[in-house]
């Protein structure tokens, strides 16, 4: 995914770096929109960080080329 990623401070609360999160987007194994009533426009992505650990990333699409 060659998207612009806009990070919130909470993205780093578990010790991940922006490079780890970008790598997860590049190596995604799963990506789907939540199908829950209170989670409009929220997606779950599962991919690998730079150390080959599986990580979950929650994100919101902003437009065709950007996510938050």
């Amino acid at each position: 995914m060659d998207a612009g990623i806009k990070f919130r401070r909470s993205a780093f609360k578990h010790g991940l770096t922006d490079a780890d999160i970008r790598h997860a987007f590049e190596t995604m194994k799963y990506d789907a929109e939540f199908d829950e009533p209170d989670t409009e426009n929220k997606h779950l992505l599962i991919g690998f960080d730079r150390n080959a650990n599986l990580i979950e990333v929650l994100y919101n699409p902003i437009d065709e080329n950007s996510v938050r």
Side-chain angles (χ1 to χ4, degrees):
M1 173 180 211
D2 188 22
I5 301 175
K6 299 179 193 265
F7 294 98
R8 291 184 176 168
R9 178 175 293 157
S10 61
F12 308 111
K13 69 181 177 183
H14 296 294
L16 295 174
T17 65
D18 62 342
D20 288 323
I21 295 168
R22 290 179 192 283
H23 193 73
F25 274 89
E26 293 170 5
T27 61
M28 78 174 81
K29 298 299 176 190
Y30 178 82
D31 184 17
E33 186 173 4
F34 273 95
D35 191 19
E36 298 290 326
D38 295 333
T39 58
E40 185 176 331
N41 198 33
K42 186 179 282 188
H43 290 242
L44 168 68
L45 176 139
I46 299 175
F48 294 97
D49 69 9
R50 294 177 304 144
N51 293 317
N53 298 306
L54 275 175
I55 61 172
E56 297 175 348
V57 178
L58 297 175
Y59 71 93
N60 304 96
I62 298 170
D63 59 34
E64 219 175 87
N65 298 312
S66 302
V67 298
R68 176 182 335 257

